[in-house]
Amino acid sequence: MDLLALFDIAVLDGTVRLAVPLLLACLAGLFSERAGVFDIGLEGKMLISAFFAAAVSFETGNVWIGLFAGIASSVVLSLLHGLASITFRGNQLISGVAINFFASGITVIAAQAWFGQGGRTPSLTGGARFDPIVFPGALTKIRDIMKADWGMKVYSELLSGHTIIAYAALLIVPLVWWLLYRTRFGLRLRAVGENPGAVDTAGISVQRMRYSAVIICGVLTGIAGAYLSTGIQAGFVREMTAGRGYIALAALIFAKWRPWYALGATLLFGYLQALAIRPDILERAIGFKVQTQVLDALPYVLTVIVLAGFVGKAIPPRAGGEAYVKER
């Protein structure tokens, strides 16, 4: 038994890669729910963004255009959610479920009609994918990394070699904290989620603040989806989000709607996903083999545990899920 193997550099490297889309989606949900708009359609927005990012990247050969297309498609769904839940005061949960079903179906149909490859896009190569950024002096060959000392392994494999979206996602966390807790916009956004009536009395448009939140939510989920198909993988396949939108929501509850806690929660979920794809390391750590199916289920088991309330009391924004009706 070698418990230190659980902190193998390869597993930690995989943790960062797999936590990035969860982190972006979690922060997206944080903005929306802090403004009082519950959004369980994160899964659908990530999925449609993953499709359009991959499809447009393939057609244009430029991953940045693909990223823009993915973000735009996600923002469109966010605006539809805002229209249903803010303007027409519909049920926010039903709107989110509808978005998930719509994205699940339309992406496969569109991919089949567009490329005729069974609901997937062709493989992305060259400029159609995000390349990893290699730091100066970092080792790139696995054989060299294996022979290097611990410090060089951390530098070459854990710190270096991620895409620009991964580094940007980590930098977004302090930016979100600053925006929410140190700016007038953040103060108003949080106030709208707690007491929209008081915000309205102060002369601030509740609808405008909530629409701003759902648009930011759309941008972040769009980046998360595009990262899946153009960063982690080389193309779109059906249902490639694999429940990450729901896991991000569980992480949001785990983090109690706070940005720094969201980083920790998504790293935990990312770690379990990274461990699931390296069963050899887990076997070395605990001394016996664990079935791959059990490892694959770990993130989802943790999600159930979180949603069951075993992580302590998590109090959502008081006006969350409620349509605001202006008093006359």
Side-chain angles (χ1 to χ4, degrees):
M1 183 177 293
D2 178 16
L3 293 180
L4 290 178
L6 292 173
F7 303 99
D8 187 276
I9 293 297
V11 174
L12 298 180
D13 177 57
T15 298
V16 174
R17 294 178 194 280
L18 296 171
V20 166
L22 297 177
L23 175 61
L24 290 168
C26 186
L27 294 176
L30 187 149
F31 269 104
S32 183
E33 297 197 5
R34 277 288 193 177
V37 181
F38 285 169
D39 190 355
I40 62 172
L42 298 177
E43 178 84 2
K45 293 173 194 171
M46 290 174 67
L47 193 60
I48 203 163
S49 171
F51 166 70
F52 275 104
V56 175
S57 292
F58 175 78
E59 294 290 354
T60 62
N62 187 322
V63 71
W64 290 102
I65 299 177
L67 173 64
F68 178 78
I71 292 174
S73 64
S74 176
V75 169
V76 168
L77 288 189
S78 279
L79 289 174
L80 283 176
H81 182 58
L83 190 67
S85 58
I86 301 173
T87 301
F88 295 123
R89 302 164 193 159
N91 188 298
Q92 298 175 6
L93 299 181
I94 293 175
S95 174
V97 170
I99 285 174
N100 289 338
F101 278 121
F102 172 76
S104 176
I106 197 66
T107 50
V108 176
I109 294 172
Q112 177 62 23
W114 197 337
F115 301 105
Q117 296 189 7
R120 59 188 300 162
T121 63
S123 295
L124 304 177
T125 57
R129 289 197 65 196
F130 281 109
D131 291 325
I133 298 174
V134 180
F135 288 177
L139 303 174
T140 56
K141 295 181 179 179
I142 295 178
R143 184 174 55 187
D144 296 335
I145 295 174
M146 295 289 288
K147 294 178 181 177
D149 57 34
W150 185 82
M152 181 54 76
K153 285 182 180 178
V154 170
Y155 180 71
S156 300
E157 193 162 21
L158 183 58
L159 299 180
S160 174
H162 299 285
T163 65
I164 189 170
I165 290 183
Y167 294 115
L170 296 174
L171 292 175
I172 283 175
V173 178
L175 179 63
V176 170
W177 175 85
W178 175 80
L179 191 63
L180 283 178
Y181 295 100
R182 290 292 184 271
T183 66
R184 180 179 299 178
F185 172 79
L187 177 63
R188 291 176 175 178
L189 190 79
R190 289 184 287 126
V192 165
E194 296 292 338
N195 192 340
V199 174
D200 194 19
T201 303
I204 301 167
S205 171
V206 174
Q207 283 204 349
R208 189 183 304 159
M209 292 304 301
R210 287 189 167 177
Y211 268 109
S212 300
V214 297
I215 290 174
I216 294 173
C217 174
V219 171
L220 291 176
T221 47
I223 298 173
Y227 176 74
L228 285 176
S229 60
T230 61
I232 292 182
Q233 297 186 32
F236 172 84
V237 295
R238 62 187 305 169
E239 304 294 349
M240 70 180 304
T241 47
R244 285 183 173 88
Y246 301 113
I247 294 176
L249 283 174
L252 182 59
I253 297 171
F254 196 10
K256 300 181 179 177
W257 296 269
R258 297 176 183 175
W260 285 109
Y261 289 10
L263 175 61
T266 51
L267 283 174
L268 174 61
F269 281 102
Y271 175 76
L272 293 177
Q273 290 183 329
L275 206 58
I277 59 178
R278 290 300 302 268
D280 56 316
I281 290 179
L282 185 62
E283 183 178 352
R284 179 154 54 93
I286 62 178
F288 60 88
K289 185 176 181 180
V290 179
Q291 291 295 321
T292 306
Q293 293 85 348
V294 175
L295 295 176
D296 290 338
L298 278 179
Y300 305 101
V301 171
L302 181 60
T303 302
V304 172
I305 292 173
V306 168
L307 294 179
F310 288 102
V311 294
K313 193 173 183 180
I315 302 174
R318 281 188 296 179
E322 298 178 2
Y324 176 67
V325 181
K326 187 180 180 67
E327 295 183 3
R328 298 182 183 276

